[in-house]
Amino acid sequence: MPMRPHIICHMGTSIDGRLHPSRFTAAAAGVSREVLRSHYERIHDRFDADGWIIGRKTMSEMAKGSERPIAYAPKVPREAHLGKQNGRKLAIGIDPSGRVHYGKDNVGGDHAVAVLGQQVSDAYLAELREDGVSWVFAGAKGDDLPGAMAQIGALFGVKTLLLEGGGKINGAFLKHGLIDEFSTLIYPAVDGVAGAQSIVDYDGPEGDRPGAGQALRLTHCETLEGGMVWLRHSVERAPG
């Protein structure tokens, strides 16, 4: 199988591991909430990765497209389709059921790539083709993430991707051994709500640990303006 890209899970979190800044406690006196929020995109840009990966819900919010009924959609073979990347970075959406609607070939200026299950309809694929969106298939159910990442690496020639959650997508990537590094920005704040989504929320059988056989090694620790802490950990895997 072709080499997959190097994948960095880049996330911002409260000190209790939660993901939604709208629920965080207020910034301390004299600390700008805008400065704290700006760190995430600044470090995202600093990585200069070839693209980024998010889940269906977040991609739907960002793409803002609408479903278009397409009558008499032709039968489409279940194989990868490449739109025109034109040198742009990739905006990759993990969308097994084909529920994201784009309306264009980019998200925030980056070329849209859908990671799908083979069960999606021909009408949906016709919509994506009209929009100029690229796609790859991650097996029948859309859960073959290793295969999808290998395809993206081979077809687009990308070397590094940022995985930017939410927690369930991050958990699935961790379970498959697809995260090579964590980049974690810790806000000087708490959320405190039980059951709120965290950096990794693996949705699997009880007792099934997604990080089994993997260990983290601290490679960077930096305090940023406003008291945010930036940590980087490499992921080490047990032999075999």
Side-chain angles (χ1 to χ4, degrees):
M1 182 174 289
M3 288 287 290
R4 64 167 177 83
H6 181 86
I7 297 176
I8 303 168
C9 183
H10 178 53
M11 299 295 293
T13 175
S14 59
I15 66 170
D16 52 343
R18 308 304 197 232
L19 299 184
H20 298 290
S22 63
R23 295 211 310 258
F24 292 177
T25 49
V31 175
S32 166
R33 182 180 288 267
E34 286 66 37
V35 167
L36 292 175
R37 289 183 173 178
S38 71
H39 290 312
Y40 183 87
E41 287 299 330
R42 181 175 60 81
I43 292 175
H44 169 109
D45 294 342
R46 192 154 124 188
F47 280 118
D48 195 26
D50 301 303
W52 42 276
I53 307 166
I54 55 177
R56 175 190 62 80
K57 289 183 180 179
T58 307
M59 184 59 86
S60 291
E61 293 169 0
M62 295 182 68
K64 296 181 171 61
S66 300
E67 182 176 4
R68 301 191 309 278
I70 296 180
Y72 311 112
K75 184 70 176 175
V76 179
R78 294 316 190 248
E79 58 190 30
H81 167 75
L82 300 187
K84 296 180 180 179
Q85 182 184 1
N86 293 330
R88 293 171 292 179
K89 295 179 184 291
L90 304 183
I92 301 167
I94 308 298
D95 184 23
S97 300
R99 296 167 64 183
V100 177
H101 301 284
Y102 295 87
K104 54 188 180 302
D105 75 345
N106 71 90
V107 178
D110 297 327
H111 179 58
V113 180
V115 176
L116 308 170
Q118 293 172 348
Q119 79 276 15
V120 301
S121 69
D122 291 320
Y124 180 72
L125 295 177
E127 178 186 311
L128 293 187
R129 187 185 294 271
E130 284 188 359
D131 291 340
V133 173
S134 296
W135 67 76
V136 300
F137 289 103
K141 298 180 180 179
D143 57 1
D144 180 13
L145 295 175
M149 293 302 105
Q151 288 181 70
I152 287 172
L155 293 170
F156 293 96
V158 297
K159 304 298 183 185
T160 303
L161 296 172
L162 298 181
L163 173 64
E164 300 184 303
K168 289 188 177 181
I169 293 296
N170 294 345
F173 272 72
L174 182 65
K175 177 64 176 178
H176 285 291
L178 292 172
I179 298 177
D180 301 295
E181 183 179 346
F182 282 91
S183 165
T184 312
L185 290 165
I186 303 176
Y187 285 72
V190 295
D191 180 319
V193 177
Q197 190 179 60
S198 60
I199 294 175
V200 175
D201 271 340
Y202 177 64
D203 188 12
E206 185 174 351
D208 186 8
R209 296 174 55 244
Q214 304 177 73
L216 303 185
R217 184 179 298 279
L218 181 68
T219 60
H220 182 85
C221 179
E222 180 181 350
T223 302
L224 307 175
E225 182 182 353
M228 180 176 281
V229 177
W230 179 29
L231 302 176
R232 293 179 70 176
H233 292 85
S234 62
V235 179
E236 299 179 352
R237 299 180 181 88

